[in-house]
Amino acid sequence: MISVVICAYTASRWSLIERAVASIESQRPAPQVVLVIDHNEALFERARQRWRSIDVVRNTRTRGLSGARNTGVSSSSGEIIAFLDDDAAARPGWLRCLVEPYKDPDVVGTGGWVVADPERPFPGWFPFEYLWVVGCSYRGMALKREQIRNPIGANMAFRRSLFDETGGFVEGLGRKRSLPLGCEETELAIRANALGSRIIHVPDAVVDHVVPATRLTAGYFVRRCFAEGLSKAAVARIAGVSSSLESESSYVTRVLAKSLRSSCCQVTHGPDRRGAAGRCV
């Protein structure tokens, strides 16, 4: 069996939660769906009344995304556990593509492609190499299947055996309500890599991720970049600097150097944004 965990904490996303659940209910093979409500009793009761055919559970662990995900793992029964954000929707064929690499017994995790679905067009200054700031796949990511250090949290899956071996997500990491921290999936993936396991990037496993207008401001961009630095520092304390920053070092030298050249051209000739708002690469 395959399980899909969705974590939710606020009724303000109710329509998005409905969209997320509906996108999973239409997947094949049909998975177990676990909706974890993070310390919001009114939302829990509303969700329990709305969905009778899925497992709606309370987060019994630490408040926040890491604790909610760990609750989802313990409440699920699948040998493979996928995770979808409550403001994302899986496209047809998502689950089938995401789990296909598990035919290889050395594969312990997979991560799919996250397409930005902004509430309004991206501002002209926004660099698409930085779409990770809003939790989406960014320009410079591989367009084919390959081994990676860690997946994007909005669209990922792991074998249950990894949680049995490692104890799951570290609950001191990750987003807490509106505080834009992260990297709990990075830390877990680093531990998986240390065990000799493989994590595979699956770009044909696609979800659409809503980007609120409030996250398309320069202020949020700066706060999120700063929070990412704090998160990476926390991971470095746990896993070591080389493991936690290996992908980032490659990103800076390979992707951002090219972006800088492009930005210089834009200063001289003006930006070329044709079609950019509708794609991530």
Side-chain angles (χ1 to χ4, degrees), residues 69 83-85 114 135 150-156 184-185:
R69 284 174 170 168
F83 297 86
L84 180 74
D85 275 9
V114 183
N150 64 275
I152 295 176
N155 179 4
M156 62 182 182
E184 69 276 13
E185 62 273 356

Side-chain angles (χ1 to χ4, degrees), residues 218-263:
Y220 180 84
F221 184 89
V222 171
R223 289 196 304 275
R224 180 66 185 88
C225 288
F226 180 74
E228 183 71 7
L230 294 177
S231 300
K232 283 295 191 303
V235 173
R237 287 194 294 270
I238 298 170
V241 174
S242 60
S243 295
S244 61
L245 297 179
E246 180 180 2
S247 292
E248 286 72 19
S249 297
S250 173
Y251 172 76
V252 168
T253 56
R254 181 177 56 87
V255 178
L256 291 193
K258 182 179 179 181
S259 174
L260 179 60
R261 291 193 297 271
S262 175
S263 296

Side-chain angles (χ1 to χ4, degrees), residues 24-252:
I24 299 305
E25 290 181 318
S26 64
Q27 296 292 315
R28 296 295 179 269
Q32 175 197 25
V33 183
V34 180
L35 176 61
V36 184
I37 305 301
D38 186 16
H39 296 270
N40 185 329
E41 192 63 22
L43 180 59
F44 171 77
E45 291 297 338
R46 183 178 182 183
R48 191 174 63 168
Q49 292 297 320
R50 170 65 176 81
W51 289 287
R52 303 288 187 176
S53 59
I54 70 172
D55 297 306
V56 179
V57 300
R58 299 178 177 91
N59 177 15
T60 57
R61 307 285 290 264
T62 304
R63 181 190 296 270
L65 185 54
S66 295
R69 284 174 170 168
N70 284 334
T71 293
V73 171
S74 61
S75 302
S76 65
S77 55
E79 289 304 310
I80 298 172
I81 305 168
F83 297 86
L84 180 74
D85 275 9
D86 63 342
D87 54 357
R91 293 187 182 181
W94 166 74
L95 190 59
R96 174 179 52 79
C97 292
L98 193 64
V99 304
E100 195 276 336
Y102 290 96
K103 294 176 182 177
D104 180 346
D106 291 332
V107 172
V108 74
T110 53
W113 195 269
V114 183
V115 175
D117 181 15
E119 289 184 343
R120 63 176 174 83
F122 280 95
W125 55 263
F126 194 102
F128 285 91
E129 291 80 6
Y130 278 80
L131 275 168
W132 56 265
V133 167
V134 291
C136 298
S137 298
Y138 51 87
R139 181 179 290 150
M141 286 185 66
L143 301 178
K144 62 181 181 178
R145 294 191 184 191
E146 63 176 33
Q147 187 169 342
I148 54 174
R149 185 192 64 184
N150 64 275
I152 295 176
N155 179 4
M156 62 182 182
F158 295 102
R159 289 191 192 273
R160 176 175 297 279
S161 58
L162 177 64
F163 296 102
D164 294 337
E165 285 191 68
T166 65
F169 298 99
V170 173
E171 297 185 16
L173 295 173
R175 182 177 289 270
K176 297 177 178 63
R177 302 284 166 155
S178 60
L179 187 61
L181 299 173
C183 291
E184 69 276 13
E185 62 273 356
T186 301
E187 191 278 332
L188 178 64
I190 289 173
R191 281 187 282 152
N193 290 321
L195 296 172
S197 302
R198 300 173 64 221
I199 298 174
I200 303 299
H201 174 54
V202 189
D204 44 344
V206 182
V207 306
D208 295 289
H209 191 275
V210 170
V211 181
T214 54
R215 297 186 182 181
L216 296 174
T217 66
Y220 180 84
F221 184 89
V222 171
R223 289 196 304 275
R224 180 66 185 88
C225 288
F226 180 74
E228 183 71 7
L230 294 177
S231 300
K232 283 295 191 303
V235 173
R237 287 194 294 270
I238 298 170
V241 174
S242 60
S243 295
S244 61
L245 297 179
E246 180 180 2
S247 292
E248 286 72 19
S249 297
S250 173
Y251 172 76
V252 168

